[in-house]
Amino acid sequence: MRWGLVWTDVAFPFYVMPILSVCFSTKGRIMTHSNIFGGLTLADITGNPNFKEDSVREEICMPILKRLGYRGKNITRSKILLTQVGRKKREMSIPDYILTIDGHNAFVLEAKAPNQDINEGDNVEQAFSYAIHNKVRSKYFALCNGKTFVVFKTNVNRTCVLSIPFDDIETRWKELARYLSIKSFHTGYRVKYHRESESFDYANISLLEEIVSKKQAAKRHFGCNAYFTRQTWNVVQTYIRNFTRKGDIVLDPFGGSGVTAVEALMCDRKAIHVDINPLSKFIAESLIAPVNLGELHTAFESVQKEYMRRVPKTETEIKAALQTYAGPKNLLLPQNADVPCVHQLFSEKQRAELSLLKSIIGKQRDVNIQKSLMLAFYNTVSVINKTFHETPQGGGNNFGYYYRYRVAPNPAIRNTIEVFEGKFKRIYDGKKELLDKINNRTVANAAIIKGTATDLSFQEDESVDYIYTDPPYGKNIAYLDLSIMWNAWLDLDVTEDDYALEAIEGGEHNKTKHEYKELIAQSIREMYRVLKYDRWLTFVFAHKDPEFWHLIIDTAEQCGFEYVGAVPQKNGQTSFKKRQNPFTVLSGQLMMNFRKVRHPKVVMNANFEMDVDVFIIKTIEEVIAKHYGATWEQINNYLIIQGMEKGFLDLLKKHGSDLTPLLERSFDYDFETEKWHIKKNVKFRTHVDVNIRIEYFLRSYLNRMEMENKAARFDDIVLSILPLLRNGTDPGKQTILGVLEDIAVPSGGDCWRLKTKQQRFRLEE
């Protein structure tokens, strides 16, 4: 049989064309590497004693690099790397090849002689040392001895991800290209939001910018449950609409209070809600349980009437009620609680009244009406207990506010049935709001599951269209511990297996950081498995420790996700805890967006020509200049996003989770505006764009003149800020005037003042 090739104008992928062109000769014999290596065979390599390291470098490594897409400026040969090994001594090393893309280093390649071991030992350690050098910091390193081409991931374990014998390079080219081709890397990027159009391409959806929070605008969430944390409904809904179409399946494996599931249904999508906490399942199920509103109201009135008739009034009646009606299980509370067990969180009167109310609700025959009334009961329990106290604003807080079972020094004593009535009205209003979208016809589109994000085996591979999830943030909240009181009243069981699978750090079971990281990593792996290709994961996270951000990015990339971008998102009103602890409590979160694609690109690490602390200072100065003073959140978010997009989270995590000492040493804090600033009369220490620096110092000077009720004359402005701008070439008066005209207006003669907000808005319009 004779073989031949038919050439057409069809455009093949970059990794297919070379294979098609060299697979067969006209004699019907496979031509080993006739294209890429010019007819070189394995026998030529092993049988020639003169085929040494330099031959491997030029005859094998260079053809591979060219086929991978590297040319000219992408290839750095024999770069000298200096490493400090003592106060005066530096060690020199010279890698064979450093492959660069847009100024970032993609991988290191070392050539070795055919008789050298490149799978383990000194040669691997040598290449690894090049890859981790602060002027390289590549995600991968590779070695080739002519007989084999080996690729390692640059991590502590030097994980081998690919090993290809010489004779298999052509047939396995696609694998090699997936890891090392010039198209397999990127430096992180963000795209802007665009409005929905008739055409919908899942793979090329634009990201959303920050959304104004409308947390209290939806009755179906605000006031309908007392869970510890809730995502803002309009943010969740906007993300669902952006990344999905009607009928798509939306998954939240850390479902919490059910905002994702509810908003998916409100957008005509299907919803899967998963959470290890049975309380979460109870809340979500009860909220979406379809009811006839008239029948629900009638049921409430009957419960209210019976309660008023039977409520215990005397000590004797209270004692009798405690013997008659089933109250909460007397479960043990965490060791940091003020009392040892659940019963001690209530006075006997409170426990008797709540037990009676629960008993009456339990008589309802309609399951969905009973669930709805129990949701109002659950919210009532949040108020009728000894941890609840009044606040100066007229509201109240319970133990959940303190993240521990704290008995209030002066508990607020509220009327049980009046609280229940108020909670019922909120549930009723929420149900009314849901009625058009979540009813007997549509509720089957929701699956509410008590389970773990680490095991989604109930869901088939590649069956979910979008994942929006907000996992626990380390040791911030021990959800199962803090749900004991409610679970005790609602007869919801929590097992030791549940505690073992809860993705938190600390808690009563002393979960370690390692356990938390492993559970989060396994949950990301499961999310990758069930998500369809060309679909998106939005991972909502807030943490001060860069180590956890690095874990998420690294695990997502290992699974096969491609990082696309992150957006800061405020969650509404600043909390009292945040106002009390501005440097330790974060407000808001980052929305990290990943895409599952068949050939994901990897974010390259930044290579450093400067000390890490200097780089961090430079980054902080950038955000301070950009925002004319920056809050702790703006600095933290900017560092994390830059760390993700430029690949230096691993260095940030070594720096630690608390930037406060560095900020206090290097910058000034304004307690009135809650912003950090460049120290007074101090220049920027790193290179920041001159126009940004000019605007920063102009705003500072004009603000100070306005506060001191002094005129800001142009010549005085120039004389004041020019010394602070000297960082290389001094900007001229015309440059300063150009920036001044953008941010200020003349105010008589040669004087200037900052534009008001109204003037800025008119200019933008």
Side-chain angles (χ1 to χ4, degrees):
M1 181 181 293
R2 296 174 63 83
W3 293 84
L5 292 174
V6 178
W7 296 101
T8 72
D9 291 331
V10 176
F12 290 94
F14 71 93
Y15 51 79
V16 175
M17 182 63 88
I19 297 174
L20 290 176
S21 66
V22 301
C23 282
F24 301 103
S25 74
T26 55
K27 296 180 180 179
R29 185 176 70 248
I30 295 177
M31 297 178 64
T32 308
H33 316 294
S34 60
N35 185 15
I36 188 171
F37 300 122
L40 185 71
T41 67
L42 183 61
D44 296 332
I45 298 170
T46 58
N48 182 357
N50 294 319
F51 200 96
K52 297 182 180 179
E53 182 177 319
D54 58 340
S55 301
V56 172
R57 186 184 299 120
E58 295 306 318
E59 296 190 47
I60 299 176
C61 291
M62 275 306 299
I64 288 175
L65 292 177
K66 288 179 179 178
R67 171 83 78 83
L68 288 170
Y70 297 93
R71 298 283 192 280
K73 64 180 181 180
N74 302 124
I75 304 173
T76 302
R77 296 176 175 85
S78 305
K79 180 176 181 176
I80 297 175
L81 303 176
L82 298 176
T83 305
Q84 200 78 32
V85 293
R87 291 185 63 183
K88 297 184 178 180
K89 185 178 179 182
R90 289 194 292 180
E91 189 176 83
M92 183 172 69
S93 51
I94 307 175
D96 289 335
Y97 299 101
I98 300 175
L99 291 310
T100 64
I101 305 169
D102 296 330
H104 289 70
N105 298 321
F107 68 97
V108 170
L109 174 59
E110 276 295 289
K112 297 297 176 184
N115 64 348
Q116 292 288 302
D117 184 359
I118 59 172
N119 293 295
E120 57 185 7
D122 291 343
N123 289 328
V124 174
E125 291 303 310
Q126 179 191 39
F128 174 71
S129 71
Y130 299 157
I132 63 173
H133 194 279
N134 69 320
K135 292 187 179 180
V136 180
R137 291 177 34 78
S138 63
K139 281 288 181 74
Y140 298 106
F141 63 93
L143 297 97
C144 180
N145 64 1
K147 297 185 296 183
T148 310
F149 194 99
V150 187
V151 181
F152 292 87
K153 187 169 177 59
T154 309
N155 55 25
V156 175
N157 299 321
R158 289 80 156 159
T159 305
C160 179
V161 296
L162 199 62
S163 179
I164 307 179
F166 177 81
D167 281 340
D168 294 339
I169 287 177
E170 201 67 77
T171 57
R172 295 179 63 185
W173 182 259
K174 188 174 179 179
E175 293 178 66
L176 182 58
R178 178 193 166 194
Y179 282 104
L180 300 184
S181 85
I182 202 165
K183 296 182 179 180
S184 297
F185 299 90
H186 70 94
T187 56
Y189 53 89
R190 286 179 56 190
V191 285
K192 301 299 184 183
Y193 170 66
H194 65 86
R195 296 188 180 278
E196 291 186 45
S197 61
E198 292 182 5
S199 60
F200 190 94
D201 181 2
Y202 285 103
N204 295 299
I205 298 171
S206 295
L207 299 190
L208 296 164
E209 294 189 327
E210 185 173 342
I211 300 163
V212 176
S213 173
K214 299 178 181 177
K215 185 172 284 188
Q216 299 186 22
K219 296 177 181 178
R220 58 186 177 271
H221 298 297
F222 187 74
C224 272
N225 63 68
Y227 210 63
F228 305 100
T229 58
R230 280 192 299 268
Q231 281 292 292
T232 303
W233 70 272
N234 69 301
V235 173
V236 178
Q237 186 182 103
T238 307
Y239 270 79
I240 290 172
R241 290 186 183 279
N242 190 58
F243 289 108
T244 64
R245 293 186 294 188
K246 289 183 179 181
D248 281 351
I249 297 175
V250 178
L251 164 68
D252 187 345
F254 294 97
S257 63
V259 176
T260 304
V262 170
E263 293 313 308
L265 295 173
M266 295 295 288
C267 297
D268 301 306
R269 276 67 167 171
K270 297 175 182 177
I272 303 173
H273 168 109
V274 181
D275 203 289
I276 199 71
N277 192 347
L279 180 60
S280 169
K281 181 175 185 290
F282 162 80
I283 292 170
E285 273 186 344
S286 301
L287 187 58
I288 67 171
V291 293
N292 178 289
L293 291 177
E295 292 176 0
L296 177 62
H297 198 275
T298 299
F300 162 72
E301 288 179 333
S302 69
V303 169
Q304 184 184 45
K305 184 177 180 180
E306 184 173 352
Y307 175 88
M308 294 301 293
R309 180 171 57 84
R310 296 169 54 188
V311 63
K313 297 180 178 63
T314 66
E315 288 294 325
T316 301
E317 289 175 343
I318 289 171
K319 298 286 187 185
L322 292 173
Q323 296 296 319
T324 304
Y325 311 117
K329 297 176 183 177
N330 198 20
L331 302 176
L332 290 176
L333 297 173
Q335 292 182 9
N336 66 352
D338 285 355
V339 291
C341 51
V342 168
H343 282 191
Q344 277 66 52
L345 294 174
F346 304 87
S347 68
E348 288 191 341
K349 184 175 184 293
Q350 288 174 328
R351 193 152 49 90
E353 291 175 349
L354 290 170
S355 299
L356 170 62
L357 182 56
K358 178 187 173 186
S359 173
I360 297 170
I361 294 171
K363 294 178 182 180
Q364 294 296 318
R365 293 182 179 181
D366 185 299
V367 174
N368 286 349
I369 285 179
Q370 185 183 118
K371 285 181 178 179
S372 302
L373 293 174
M374 284 301 293
L375 189 57
F377 173 81
Y378 148 75
N379 285 310
T380 302
V381 171
S382 303
V383 174
I384 306 300
N385 63 73
K386 294 197 292 187
T387 75
F388 187 82
H389 65 88
E390 294 178 344
T391 60
Q393 294 76 26
N397 287 318
N398 63 12
F399 70 94
Y401 177 80
Y402 302 94
Y403 298 154
R404 75 176 189 87
Y405 291 96
R406 171 187 179 274
V407 174
N410 297 296
I413 307 301
R414 300 288 175 86
N415 182 288
T416 299
I417 198 62
E418 288 179 0
V419 172
F420 179 68
E421 180 180 5
K423 299 300 182 183
F424 170 78
K425 287 179 180 178
R426 288 180 177 267
I427 301 300
Y428 183 90
D429 289 341
K431 293 275 185 179
K432 186 176 180 180
E433 198 175 70
L434 296 172
L435 200 56
D436 288 342
K437 293 290 186 179
I438 307 176
N439 47 53
N440 287 317
R441 298 189 311 277
T442 63
V443 73
N445 289 329
I448 311 299
I449 299 165
K450 178 188 177 295
T452 170
T454 63
D455 181 9
L456 305 175
S457 56
F458 59 84
Q459 198 68 23
E460 296 180 356
D461 294 0
E462 298 161 30
S463 59
V464 170
D465 294 289
Y466 177 54
I467 300 173
Y468 181 103
T469 195
D470 174 28
Y473 308 150
K475 55 186 176 183
N476 285 15
I477 304 173
Y479 289 90
L480 289 179
D481 285 345
L482 292 172
S483 299
I484 290 174
M485 183 185 80
W486 289 300
N487 286 333
W489 274 105
L490 299 171
D491 302 315
L492 301 174
D493 293 326
V494 178
T495 67
E496 285 301 311
D497 286 343
D498 294 334
Y499 278 108
L501 292 170
E502 184 182 22
I504 64 164
E505 183 186 351
E508 188 68 1
H509 284 62
N510 294 315
K511 305 287 285 290
T512 65
K513 179 184 287 189
H514 175 74
E515 288 175 302
Y516 171 73
K517 289 166 62 177
E518 283 297 308
L519 290 166
I520 290 293
Q522 178 57 25
S523 73
I524 294 173
R525 288 189 280 269
E526 276 292 86
M527 290 183 227
Y528 180 85
R529 180 184 65 79
V530 302
L531 191 64
K532 294 177 182 177
Y533 280 102
D534 296 325
R535 302 299 196 270
W536 294 75
L537 159 66
T538 299
F539 201 94
V540 184
F541 203 64
H543 206 290
K544 294 189 302 174
D545 193 342
E547 182 175 358
F548 292 113
W549 297 96
H550 184 254
L551 162 76
I552 294 166
I553 290 287
D554 196 49
T555 304
E557 283 191 343
Q558 286 180 28
C559 291
F561 278 116
E562 180 177 285
Y563 168 77
V564 179
V567 180
Q569 177 60 54
K570 296 185 180 67
N571 52 13
Q573 186 177 354
T574 303
S575 69
F576 177 68
K577 283 182 178 294
K578 170 62 183 173
R579 291 192 294 271
Q580 278 190 316
N581 305 282
F583 304 150
T584 58
V585 176
L586 285 173
S587 63
Q589 59 253 325
L590 287 182
M591 321 290 280
M592 291 185 288
N593 297 282
F594 299 91
R595 182 169 48 194
K596 179 176 177 178
V597 292
R598 296 189 184 277
H599 302 291
K601 296 180 180 180
V602 174
V603 178
M604 291 180 289
N605 291 333
N607 48 296
F608 286 91
E609 300 292 334
M610 62 182 76
D611 182 76
V612 178
D613 279 359
V614 175
F615 187 84
I616 292 173
I617 291 289
K618 178 182 185 299
T619 307
I620 295 172
E621 285 189 341
E622 285 175 0
V623 70
I624 286 176
K626 180 180 178 182
H627 295 283
Y628 178 61
T631 64
W632 202 98
E633 278 76 23
Q634 286 172 325
I635 291 170
N636 183 74
N637 290 342
Y638 192 72
L639 276 171
I640 294 297
I641 290 176
Q642 290 291 300
M644 288 189 287
E645 299 194 351
K646 295 182 179 178
F648 61 86
L649 281 176
D650 55 330
L651 297 181
L652 276 180
K653 75 176 186 179
K654 293 176 183 177
H655 192 81
S657 61
D658 189 4
L659 289 171
T660 306
L662 176 65
L663 289 168
E664 289 179 336
R665 287 196 306 271
S666 308
F667 303 95
D668 284 337
Y669 185 72
D670 185 333
F671 283 91
E672 186 175 341
T673 62
E674 298 182 350
K675 286 187 173 186
W676 294 93
H677 289 272
I678 305 296
K679 286 183 178 292
K680 188 175 180 180
N681 296 325
V682 172
K683 295 192 296 184
F684 283 83
R685 283 161 292 181
T686 59
H687 179 74
V688 175
D689 180 83
V690 65
N691 288 325
I692 295 176
R693 285 185 283 128
I694 290 171
E695 180 175 345
Y696 178 84
F697 288 123
L698 280 174
R699 287 186 180 277
S700 296
Y701 182 81
L702 292 175
N703 263 330
R704 188 165 71 251
M705 291 299 100
E706 186 174 334
M707 290 175 62
E708 295 175 4
N709 199 25
K710 294 180 180 178
R713 301 182 186 280
F714 180 70
D715 286 346
D716 294 336
I717 292 172
V718 173
L719 289 172
S720 176
I721 72 170
L722 197 57
L724 302 174
L725 294 170
R726 285 174 180 155
N727 191 353
T729 304
D730 291 349
K733 284 189 176 183
Q734 194 60 40
T735 304
I736 296 174
L737 179 61
V739 178
L740 185 63
E741 289 173 339
D742 286 339
I743 67 170
V745 292
S747 63
D750 196 23
C751 297
W752 293 80
R753 58 178 173 78
L754 284 172
K755 290 177 180 176
T756 64
K757 288 183 179 180
Q758 289 77 10
Q759 288 170 323
R760 291 201 301 271
F761 292 155
R762 282 200 296 272
L763 184 65
E764 290 169 3
E765 289 171 0

